PDB file of all heavy atoms in Angstrom:
ATOM      1  N   GLY R   1      -4.055 -19.466   2.244  1.00 86.00           N
ATOM      2  CA  GLY R   1      -4.853 -20.689   2.257  1.00 86.00           C
ATOM      3  C   GLY R   1      -5.873 -20.706   3.381  1.00 86.00           C
ATOM      4  O   GLY R   1      -6.723 -21.594   3.436  1.00 86.00           O
ATOM      5  N   VAL R   2      -5.790 -19.733   4.270  1.00 90.00           N
ATOM      6  CA  VAL R   2      -6.722 -19.652   5.399  1.00 90.00           C
ATOM      7  C   VAL R   2      -7.733 -18.545   5.097  1.00 90.00           C
ATOM      8  O   VAL R   2      -7.379 -17.360   5.099  1.00 90.00           O
ATOM      9  CB  VAL R   2      -5.974 -19.344   6.714  1.00 90.00           C
ATOM     10  CG1 VAL R   2      -6.937 -19.310   7.890  1.00 90.00           C
ATOM     11  CG2 VAL R   2      -4.867 -20.372   6.942  1.00 90.00           C
ATOM     12  N   PRO R   3      -8.976 -18.873   4.814  1.00 88.00           N
ATOM     13  CA  PRO R   3      -9.951 -17.872   4.350  1.00 88.00           C
ATOM     14  C   PRO R   3     -10.107 -16.666   5.271  1.00 88.00           C
ATOM     15  O   PRO R   3     -10.215 -15.537   4.792  1.00 88.00           O
ATOM     16  CB  PRO R   3     -11.252 -18.676   4.270  1.00 88.00           C
ATOM     17  CG  PRO R   3     -10.818 -20.092   4.057  1.00 88.00           C
ATOM     18  CD  PRO R   3      -9.536 -20.231   4.820  1.00 88.00           C
ATOM     19  N   LEU R   4     -10.106 -16.880   6.591  1.00 91.00           N
ATOM     20  CA  LEU R   4     -10.326 -15.768   7.519  1.00 91.00           C
ATOM     21  C   LEU R   4      -9.216 -14.728   7.431  1.00 91.00           C
ATOM     22  O   LEU R   4      -9.458 -13.529   7.609  1.00 91.00           O
ATOM     23  CB  LEU R   4     -10.447 -16.285   8.958  1.00 91.00           C
ATOM     24  CG  LEU R   4     -10.780 -15.240  10.024  1.00 91.00           C
ATOM     25  CD1 LEU R   4     -12.132 -14.582   9.753  1.00 91.00           C
ATOM     26  CD2 LEU R   4     -10.769 -15.873  11.422  1.00 91.00           C
ATOM     27  N   VAL R   5      -7.987 -15.177   7.128  1.00 90.00           N
ATOM     28  CA  VAL R   5      -6.863 -14.239   6.986  1.00 90.00           C
ATOM     29  C   VAL R   5      -7.157 -13.232   5.880  1.00 90.00           C
ATOM     30  O   VAL R   5      -7.062 -12.010   6.071  1.00 90.00           O
ATOM     31  CB  VAL R   5      -5.546 -14.998   6.692  1.00 90.00           C
ATOM     32  CG1 VAL R   5      -4.449 -14.019   6.273  1.00 90.00           C
ATOM     33  CG2 VAL R   5      -5.095 -15.780   7.921  1.00 90.00           C
ATOM     34  N   GLY R   6      -7.515 -13.739   4.715  1.00 84.00           N
ATOM     35  CA  GLY R   6      -7.828 -12.850   3.598  1.00 84.00           C
ATOM     36  C   GLY R   6      -9.049 -11.992   3.872  1.00 84.00           C
ATOM     37  O   GLY R   6      -9.086 -10.811   3.498  1.00 84.00           O
ATOM     38  N   GLN R   7     -10.041 -12.560   4.533  1.00 89.00           N
ATOM     39  CA  GLN R   7     -11.284 -11.836   4.814  1.00 89.00           C
ATOM     40  C   GLN R   7     -11.030 -10.626   5.708  1.00 89.00           C
ATOM     41  O   GLN R   7     -11.462  -9.505   5.407  1.00 89.00           O
ATOM     42  CB  GLN R   7     -12.279 -12.798   5.480  1.00 89.00           C
ATOM     43  CG  GLN R   7     -13.712 -12.279   5.529  1.00 89.00           C
ATOM     44  CD  GLN R   7     -14.647 -13.288   6.187  1.00 89.00           C
ATOM     45  OE1 GLN R   7     -14.249 -14.408   6.525  1.00 89.00           O
ATOM     46  NE2 GLN R   7     -15.889 -12.887   6.387  1.00 89.00           N
ATOM     47  N   VAL R   8     -10.307 -10.827   6.804  1.00 87.00           N
ATOM     48  CA  VAL R   8     -10.032  -9.725   7.738  1.00 87.00           C
ATOM     49  C   VAL R   8      -9.090  -8.707   7.095  1.00 87.00           C
ATOM     50  O   VAL R   8      -9.290  -7.493   7.213  1.00 87.00           O
ATOM     51  CB  VAL R   8      -9.438 -10.259   9.067  1.00 87.00           C
ATOM     52  CG1 VAL R   8      -9.083  -9.102   9.995  1.00 87.00           C
ATOM     53  CG2 VAL R   8     -10.415 -11.205   9.743  1.00 87.00           C
ATOM     54  N   SER R   9      -8.066  -9.192   6.401  1.00 86.00           N
ATOM     55  CA  SER R   9      -7.100  -8.290   5.765  1.00 86.00           C
ATOM     56  C   SER R   9      -7.785  -7.384   4.752  1.00 86.00           C
ATOM     57  O   SER R   9      -7.574  -6.166   4.730  1.00 86.00           O
ATOM     58  CB  SER R   9      -6.000  -9.091   5.067  1.00 86.00           C
ATOM     59  OG  SER R   9      -5.309  -9.902   5.981  1.00 86.00           O
ATOM     60  N   ARG R  10      -8.608  -7.994   3.896  1.00 84.00           N
ATOM     61  CA  ARG R  10      -9.299  -7.196   2.872  1.00 84.00           C
ATOM     62  C   ARG R  10     -10.286  -6.227   3.505  1.00 84.00           C
ATOM     63  O   ARG R  10     -10.479  -5.116   3.011  1.00 84.00           O
ATOM     64  CB  ARG R  10     -10.015  -8.122   1.882  1.00 84.00           C
ATOM     65  CG  ARG R  10      -9.064  -8.841   0.945  1.00 84.00           C
ATOM     66  CD  ARG R  10      -9.783  -9.650  -0.125  1.00 84.00           C
ATOM     67  NE  ARG R  10      -8.811 -10.363  -0.948  1.00 84.00           N
ATOM     68  CZ  ARG R  10      -8.320 -11.562  -0.640  1.00 84.00           C
ATOM     69  NH1 ARG R  10      -8.718 -12.175   0.439  1.00 84.00           N
ATOM     70  NH2 ARG R  10      -7.417 -12.134  -1.424  1.00 84.00           N
ATOM     71  N   TYR R  11     -10.890  -6.631   4.595  1.00 86.00           N
ATOM     72  CA  TYR R  11     -11.865  -5.771   5.264  1.00 86.00           C
ATOM     73  C   TYR R  11     -11.222  -4.455   5.696  1.00 86.00           C
ATOM     74  O   TYR R  11     -11.728  -3.378   5.420  1.00 86.00           O
ATOM     75  CB  TYR R  11     -12.446  -6.487   6.489  1.00 86.00           C
ATOM     76  CG  TYR R  11     -13.459  -5.658   7.256  1.00 86.00           C
ATOM     77  CD1 TYR R  11     -14.795  -5.628   6.864  1.00 86.00           C
ATOM     78  CD2 TYR R  11     -13.081  -4.901   8.366  1.00 86.00           C
ATOM     79  CE1 TYR R  11     -15.728  -4.865   7.558  1.00 86.00           C
ATOM     80  CE2 TYR R  11     -14.003  -4.138   9.059  1.00 86.00           C
ATOM     81  CZ  TYR R  11     -15.322  -4.123   8.649  1.00 86.00           C
ATOM     82  OH  TYR R  11     -16.241  -3.366   9.334  1.00 86.00           O
ATOM     83  N   ILE R  12     -10.069  -4.544   6.347  1.00 82.00           N
ATOM     84  CA  ILE R  12      -9.453  -3.315   6.866  1.00 82.00           C
ATOM     85  C   ILE R  12      -8.742  -2.542   5.758  1.00 82.00           C
ATOM     86  O   ILE R  12      -8.792  -1.315   5.712  1.00 82.00           O
ATOM     87  CB  ILE R  12      -8.516  -3.597   8.062  1.00 82.00           C
ATOM     88  CG1 ILE R  12      -8.045  -2.270   8.675  1.00 82.00           C
ATOM     89  CG2 ILE R  12      -7.363  -4.494   7.700  1.00 82.00           C
ATOM     90  CD1 ILE R  12      -7.377  -2.402  10.015  1.00 82.00           C
ATOM     91  N   ILE R  13      -8.116  -3.241   4.803  1.00 82.00           N
ATOM     92  CA  ILE R  13      -7.380  -2.537   3.742  1.00 82.00           C
ATOM     93  C   ILE R  13      -8.342  -1.824   2.792  1.00 82.00           C
ATOM     94  O   ILE R  13      -8.019  -0.766   2.253  1.00 82.00           O
ATOM     95  CB  ILE R  13      -6.441  -3.508   3.009  1.00 82.00           C
ATOM     96  CG1 ILE R  13      -5.197  -3.733   3.881  1.00 82.00           C
ATOM     97  CG2 ILE R  13      -6.020  -2.968   1.641  1.00 82.00           C
ATOM     98  CD1 ILE R  13      -4.189  -4.690   3.346  1.00 82.00           C
ATOM     99  N   SER R  14      -9.539  -2.375   2.624  1.00 81.00           N
ATOM    100  CA  SER R  14     -10.515  -1.745   1.720  1.00 81.00           C
ATOM    101  C   SER R  14     -11.383  -0.715   2.430  1.00 81.00           C
ATOM    102  O   SER R  14     -12.330  -0.197   1.848  1.00 81.00           O
ATOM    103  CB  SER R  14     -11.407  -2.813   1.089  1.00 81.00           C
ATOM    104  OG  SER R  14     -12.188  -3.450   2.089  1.00 81.00           O
ATOM    105  N   ALA R  15     -11.049  -0.390   3.676  1.00 75.00           N
ATOM    106  CA  ALA R  15     -11.909   0.487   4.477  1.00 75.00           C
ATOM    107  C   ALA R  15     -11.708   1.974   4.196  1.00 75.00           C
ATOM    108  O   ALA R  15     -12.215   2.824   4.920  1.00 75.00           O
ATOM    109  CB  ALA R  15     -11.699   0.210   5.967  1.00 75.00           C
ATOM    110  N   GLY R  16     -10.930   2.298   3.162  1.00 65.00           N
ATOM    111  CA  GLY R  16     -10.868   3.706   2.743  1.00 65.00           C
ATOM    112  C   GLY R  16      -9.772   4.530   3.374  1.00 65.00           C
ATOM    113  O   GLY R  16      -9.941   5.727   3.578  1.00 65.00           O
ATOM    114  N   GLY R  17      -8.640   3.918   3.716  1.00 75.00           N
ATOM    115  CA  GLY R  17      -7.535   4.686   4.297  1.00 75.00           C
ATOM    116  C   GLY R  17      -6.893   5.625   3.284  1.00 75.00           C
ATOM    117  O   GLY R  17      -7.088   5.510   2.077  1.00 75.00           O
ATOM    118  N   LYS R  18      -6.105   6.554   3.802  1.00 83.00           N
ATOM    119  CA  LYS R  18      -5.489   7.579   2.944  1.00 83.00           C
ATOM    120  C   LYS R  18      -4.296   7.050   2.157  1.00 83.00           C
ATOM    121  O   LYS R  18      -3.857   7.668   1.196  1.00 83.00           O
ATOM    122  CB  LYS R  18      -5.042   8.768   3.808  1.00 83.00           C
ATOM    123  CG  LYS R  18      -6.209   9.417   4.555  1.00 83.00           C
ATOM    124  CD  LYS R  18      -5.715  10.455   5.542  1.00 83.00           C
ATOM    125  CE  LYS R  18      -6.847  10.944   6.427  1.00 83.00           C
ATOM    126  NZ  LYS R  18      -7.332   9.896   7.355  1.00 83.00           N
ATOM    127  N   ARG R  19      -3.728   5.910   2.583  1.00 91.00           N
ATOM    128  CA  ARG R  19      -2.558   5.323   1.919  1.00 91.00           C
ATOM    129  C   ARG R  19      -1.390   6.317   1.849  1.00 91.00           C
ATOM    130  O   ARG R  19      -0.654   6.346   0.862  1.00 91.00           O
ATOM    131  CB  ARG R  19      -2.905   4.837   0.511  1.00 91.00           C
ATOM    132  CG  ARG R  19      -4.018   3.791   0.450  1.00 91.00           C
ATOM    133  CD  ARG R  19      -3.524   2.414   0.852  1.00 91.00           C
ATOM    134  NE  ARG R  19      -4.594   1.438   0.917  1.00 91.00           N
ATOM    135  CZ  ARG R  19      -5.003   0.703  -0.110  1.00 91.00           C
ATOM    136  NH1 ARG R  19      -4.459   0.844  -1.285  1.00 91.00           N
ATOM    137  NH2 ARG R  19      -5.968  -0.180   0.056  1.00 91.00           N
ATOM    138  N   LEU R  20      -1.244   7.142   2.871  1.00 94.00           N
ATOM    139  CA  LEU R  20      -0.214   8.184   2.827  1.00 94.00           C
ATOM    140  C   LEU R  20       1.197   7.619   2.793  1.00 94.00           C
ATOM    141  O   LEU R  20       2.072   8.172   2.138  1.00 94.00           O
ATOM    142  CB  LEU R  20      -0.354   9.113   4.041  1.00 94.00           C
ATOM    143  CG  LEU R  20      -1.259  10.335   3.882  1.00 94.00           C
ATOM    144  CD1 LEU R  20      -1.299  11.125   5.187  1.00 94.00           C
ATOM    145  CD2 LEU R  20      -0.797  11.221   2.741  1.00 94.00           C
ATOM    146  N   ARG R  21       1.423   6.528   3.498  1.00 97.00           N
ATOM    147  CA  ARG R  21       2.788   5.996   3.589  1.00 97.00           C
ATOM    148  C   ARG R  21       3.263   5.433   2.245  1.00 97.00           C
ATOM    149  O   ARG R  21       4.367   5.771   1.806  1.00 97.00           O
ATOM    150  CB  ARG R  21       2.855   4.978   4.732  1.00 97.00           C
ATOM    151  CG  ARG R  21       2.602   5.644   6.093  1.00 97.00           C
ATOM    152  CD  ARG R  21       1.914   4.703   7.085  1.00 97.00           C
ATOM    153  NE  ARG R  21       1.445   5.410   8.262  1.00 97.00           N
ATOM    154  CZ  ARG R  21       0.248   6.025   8.339  1.00 97.00           C
ATOM    155  NH1 ARG R  21      -0.577   6.035   7.293  1.00 97.00           N
ATOM    156  NH2 ARG R  21      -0.125   6.645   9.448  1.00 97.00           N
ATOM    157  N   PRO R  22       2.452   4.588   1.573  1.00 97.00           N
ATOM    158  CA  PRO R  22       2.888   4.165   0.233  1.00 97.00           C
ATOM    159  C   PRO R  22       2.966   5.329  -0.761  1.00 97.00           C
ATOM    160  O   PRO R  22       3.863   5.357  -1.610  1.00 97.00           O
ATOM    161  CB  PRO R  22       1.828   3.139  -0.199  1.00 97.00           C
ATOM    162  CG  PRO R  22       0.711   3.261   0.768  1.00 97.00           C
ATOM    163  CD  PRO R  22       1.263   3.834   2.014  1.00 97.00           C
ATOM    164  N   VAL R  23       2.043   6.282  -0.664  1.00 97.00           N
ATOM    165  CA  VAL R  23       2.108   7.461  -1.540  1.00 97.00           C
ATOM    166  C   VAL R  23       3.427   8.198  -1.325  1.00 97.00           C
ATOM    167  O   VAL R  23       4.090   8.622  -2.278  1.00 97.00           O
ATOM    168  CB  VAL R  23       0.911   8.403  -1.277  1.00 97.00           C
ATOM    169  CG1 VAL R  23       1.154   9.786  -1.871  1.00 97.00           C
ATOM    170  CG2 VAL R  23      -0.366   7.812  -1.859  1.00 97.00           C
ATOM    171  N   LEU R  24       3.823   8.333  -0.055  1.00 98.00           N
ATOM    172  CA  LEU R  24       5.069   9.031   0.273  1.00 98.00           C
ATOM    173  C   LEU R  24       6.269   8.313  -0.335  1.00 98.00           C
ATOM    174  O   LEU R  24       7.161   8.945  -0.930  1.00 98.00           O
ATOM    175  CB  LEU R  24       5.196   9.125   1.803  1.00 98.00           C
ATOM    176  CG  LEU R  24       6.423   9.805   2.382  1.00 98.00           C
ATOM    177  CD1 LEU R  24       6.640  11.179   1.779  1.00 98.00           C
ATOM    178  CD2 LEU R  24       6.294   9.901   3.904  1.00 98.00           C
ATOM    179  N   LEU R  25       6.296   6.997  -0.241  1.00 98.00           N
ATOM    180  CA  LEU R  25       7.395   6.225  -0.824  1.00 98.00           C
ATOM    181  C   LEU R  25       7.448   6.426  -2.342  1.00 98.00           C
ATOM    182  O   LEU R  25       8.519   6.662  -2.919  1.00 98.00           O
ATOM    183  CB  LEU R  25       7.227   4.745  -0.467  1.00 98.00           C
ATOM    184  CG  LEU R  25       8.397   3.812  -0.784  1.00 98.00           C
ATOM    185  CD1 LEU R  25       8.403   2.624   0.189  1.00 98.00           C
ATOM    186  CD2 LEU R  25       8.369   3.275  -2.216  1.00 98.00           C
ATOM    187  N   LEU R  26       6.296   6.369  -2.988  1.00 98.00           N
ATOM    188  CA  LEU R  26       6.249   6.532  -4.451  1.00 98.00           C
ATOM    189  C   LEU R  26       6.657   7.941  -4.861  1.00 98.00           C
ATOM    190  O   LEU R  26       7.357   8.132  -5.866  1.00 98.00           O
ATOM    191  CB  LEU R  26       4.840   6.228  -4.975  1.00 98.00           C
ATOM    192  CG  LEU R  26       4.349   4.785  -4.828  1.00 98.00           C
ATOM    193  CD1 LEU R  26       2.916   4.668  -5.335  1.00 98.00           C
ATOM    194  CD2 LEU R  26       5.252   3.808  -5.577  1.00 98.00           C
ATOM    195  N   LEU R  27       6.215   8.956  -4.103  1.00 98.00           N
ATOM    196  CA  LEU R  27       6.581  10.333  -4.439  1.00 98.00           C
ATOM    197  C   LEU R  27       8.086  10.555  -4.293  1.00 98.00           C
ATOM    198  O   LEU R  27       8.695  11.255  -5.107  1.00 98.00           O
ATOM    199  CB  LEU R  27       5.816  11.322  -3.556  1.00 98.00           C
ATOM    200  CG  LEU R  27       4.348  11.565  -3.918  1.00 98.00           C
ATOM    201  CD1 LEU R  27       3.676  12.430  -2.857  1.00 98.00           C
ATOM    202  CD2 LEU R  27       4.228  12.224  -5.286  1.00 98.00           C
ATOM    203  N   MET R  28       8.687   9.977  -3.248  1.00 98.00           N
ATOM    204  CA  MET R  28      10.137  10.105  -3.077  1.00 98.00           C
ATOM    205  C   MET R  28      10.876   9.448  -4.243  1.00 98.00           C
ATOM    206  O   MET R  28      11.852   9.992  -4.767  1.00 98.00           O
ATOM    207  CB  MET R  28      10.581   9.476  -1.757  1.00 98.00           C
ATOM    208  CG  MET R  28      10.290  10.322  -0.539  1.00 98.00           C
ATOM    209  SD  MET R  28      11.112  11.939  -0.631  1.00 98.00           S
ATOM    210  CE  MET R  28      10.533  12.673   0.899  1.00 98.00           C
ATOM    211  N   CYS R  29      10.404   8.262  -4.661  1.00 98.00           N
ATOM    212  CA  CYS R  29      11.016   7.603  -5.823  1.00 98.00           C
ATOM    213  C   CYS R  29      10.905   8.501  -7.052  1.00 98.00           C
ATOM    214  O   CYS R  29      11.862   8.656  -7.817  1.00 98.00           O
ATOM    215  CB  CYS R  29      10.329   6.263  -6.091  1.00 98.00           C
ATOM    216  SG  CYS R  29      10.741   4.962  -4.913  1.00 98.00           S
ATOM    217  N   GLY R  30       9.732   9.109  -7.249  1.00 98.00           N
ATOM    218  CA  GLY R  30       9.538   9.987  -8.387  1.00 98.00           C
ATOM    219  C   GLY R  30      10.413  11.211  -8.331  1.00 98.00           C
ATOM    220  O   GLY R  30      11.016  11.614  -9.343  1.00 98.00           O
ATOM    221  N   ALA R  31      10.524  11.811  -7.132  1.00 98.00           N
ATOM    222  CA  ALA R  31      11.343  13.014  -6.968  1.00 98.00           C
ATOM    223  C   ALA R  31      12.802  12.737  -7.294  1.00 98.00           C
ATOM    224  O   ALA R  31      13.519  13.609  -7.802  1.00 98.00           O
ATOM    225  CB  ALA R  31      11.206  13.549  -5.546  1.00 98.00           C
ATOM    226  N   LEU R  32      13.242  11.498  -7.017  1.00 98.00           N
ATOM    227  CA  LEU R  32      14.654  11.151  -7.202  1.00 98.00           C
ATOM    228  C   LEU R  32      14.891  10.308  -8.457  1.00 98.00           C
ATOM    229  O   LEU R  32      15.996   9.810  -8.679  1.00 98.00           O
ATOM    230  CB  LEU R  32      15.167  10.415  -5.956  1.00 98.00           C
ATOM    231  CG  LEU R  32      15.078  11.237  -4.658  1.00 98.00           C
ATOM    232  CD1 LEU R  32      15.468  10.381  -3.454  1.00 98.00           C
ATOM    233  CD2 LEU R  32      15.953  12.480  -4.725  1.00 98.00           C
ATOM    234  N   GLY R  33      13.827  10.128  -9.263  1.00 97.00           N
ATOM    235  CA  GLY R  33      13.999   9.512 -10.582  1.00 97.00           C
ATOM    236  C   GLY R  33      14.055   8.002 -10.624  1.00 97.00           C
ATOM    237  O   GLY R  33      14.512   7.423 -11.615  1.00 97.00           O
ATOM    238  N   PHE R  34      13.575   7.316  -9.558  1.00 97.00           N
ATOM    239  CA  PHE R  34      13.583   5.847  -9.581  1.00 97.00           C
ATOM    240  C   PHE R  34      12.248   5.337 -10.117  1.00 97.00           C
ATOM    241  O   PHE R  34      11.186   5.671  -9.592  1.00 97.00           O
ATOM    242  CB  PHE R  34      13.827   5.275  -8.178  1.00 97.00           C
ATOM    243  CG  PHE R  34      13.817   3.770  -8.146  1.00 97.00           C
ATOM    244  CD1 PHE R  34      14.921   3.050  -8.575  1.00 97.00           C
ATOM    245  CD2 PHE R  34      12.700   3.067  -7.708  1.00 97.00           C
ATOM    246  CE1 PHE R  34      14.916   1.658  -8.562  1.00 97.00           C
ATOM    247  CE2 PHE R  34      12.686   1.678  -7.686  1.00 97.00           C
ATOM    248  CZ  PHE R  34      13.807   0.973  -8.114  1.00 97.00           C
ATOM    249  N   LYS R  35      12.302   4.487 -11.153  1.00 97.00           N
ATOM    250  CA  LYS R  35      11.070   4.010 -11.791  1.00 97.00           C
ATOM    251  C   LYS R  35      10.956   2.480 -11.790  1.00 97.00           C
ATOM    252  O   LYS R  35      10.102   1.916 -12.467  1.00 97.00           O
ATOM    253  CB  LYS R  35      10.998   4.530 -13.232  1.00 97.00           C
ATOM    254  CG  LYS R  35      10.901   6.050 -13.305  1.00 97.00           C
ATOM    255  CD  LYS R  35      10.818   6.543 -14.740  1.00 97.00           C
ATOM    256  CE  LYS R  35      10.709   8.067 -14.776  1.00 97.00           C
ATOM    257  NZ  LYS R  35      10.670   8.591 -16.156  1.00 97.00           N
ATOM    258  N   GLY R  36      11.795   1.815 -11.016  1.00 96.00           N
ATOM    259  CA  GLY R  36      11.764   0.348 -10.978  1.00 96.00           C
ATOM    260  C   GLY R  36      10.512  -0.196 -10.304  1.00 96.00           C
ATOM    261  O   GLY R  36       9.897   0.462  -9.466  1.00 96.00           O
ATOM    262  N   ALA R  37      10.131  -1.427 -10.656  1.00 95.00           N
ATOM    263  CA  ALA R  37       8.907  -2.050 -10.139  1.00 95.00           C
ATOM    264  C   ALA R  37       8.984  -2.337  -8.642  1.00 95.00           C
ATOM    265  O   ALA R  37       7.949  -2.501  -7.987  1.00 95.00           O
ATOM    266  CB  ALA R  37       8.628  -3.344 -10.902  1.00 95.00           C
ATOM    267  N   GLN R  38      10.204  -2.390  -8.085  1.00 97.00           N
ATOM    268  CA  GLN R  38      10.335  -2.701  -6.663  1.00 97.00           C
ATOM    269  C   GLN R  38       9.653  -1.647  -5.787  1.00 97.00           C
ATOM    270  O   GLN R  38       9.280  -1.924  -4.642  1.00 97.00           O
ATOM    271  CB  GLN R  38      11.822  -2.822  -6.309  1.00 97.00           C
ATOM    272  CG  GLN R  38      12.101  -3.449  -4.954  1.00 97.00           C
ATOM    273  CD  GLN R  38      11.502  -4.839  -4.786  1.00 97.00           C
ATOM    274  OE1 GLN R  38      10.738  -5.092  -3.862  1.00 97.00           O
ATOM    275  NE2 GLN R  38      11.849  -5.754  -5.691  1.00 97.00           N
ATOM    276  N   ARG R  39       9.457  -0.446  -6.344  1.00 98.00           N
ATOM    277  CA  ARG R  39       8.792   0.588  -5.534  1.00 98.00           C
ATOM    278  C   ARG R  39       7.354   0.189  -5.207  1.00 98.00           C
ATOM    279  O   ARG R  39       6.847   0.531  -4.138  1.00 98.00           O
ATOM    280  CB  ARG R  39       8.847   1.953  -6.231  1.00 98.00           C
ATOM    281  CG  ARG R  39       7.985   2.133  -7.472  1.00 98.00           C
ATOM    282  CD  ARG R  39       8.411   3.431  -8.187  1.00 98.00           C
ATOM    283  NE  ARG R  39       7.486   3.898  -9.209  1.00 98.00           N
ATOM    284  CZ  ARG R  39       7.423   3.456 -10.460  1.00 98.00           C
ATOM    285  NH1 ARG R  39       8.254   2.474 -10.841  1.00 98.00           N
ATOM    286  NH2 ARG R  39       6.564   3.961 -11.321  1.00 98.00           N
TER     287      ARG R  39
END
């Protein structure tokens, strides 16, 4: 509900990071056969 919160958050998240940490979590789930939405 606070516009500046979303503005700053989107600014840094959309800045082109490698997203390695979420990729790593998803790859581990895939390697071990977990396909639930919680990942």
Side-chain angles (χ1 to χ4, degrees):
V2 182
L4 184 61
V5 169
Q7 194 179 355
V8 177
S9 300
R10 287 186 183 86
Y11 179 84
I12 187 167
I13 282 178
S14 65
K18 300 172 189 68
R19 301 283 175 89
L20 270 179
R21 295 148 191 86
V23 164
L24 180 52
L25 190 152
L26 294 177
L27 283 173
M28 283 301 179
C29 286
L32 300 174
F34 179 78
K35 296 180 179 178
Q38 193 57 236
R39 71 192 193 278

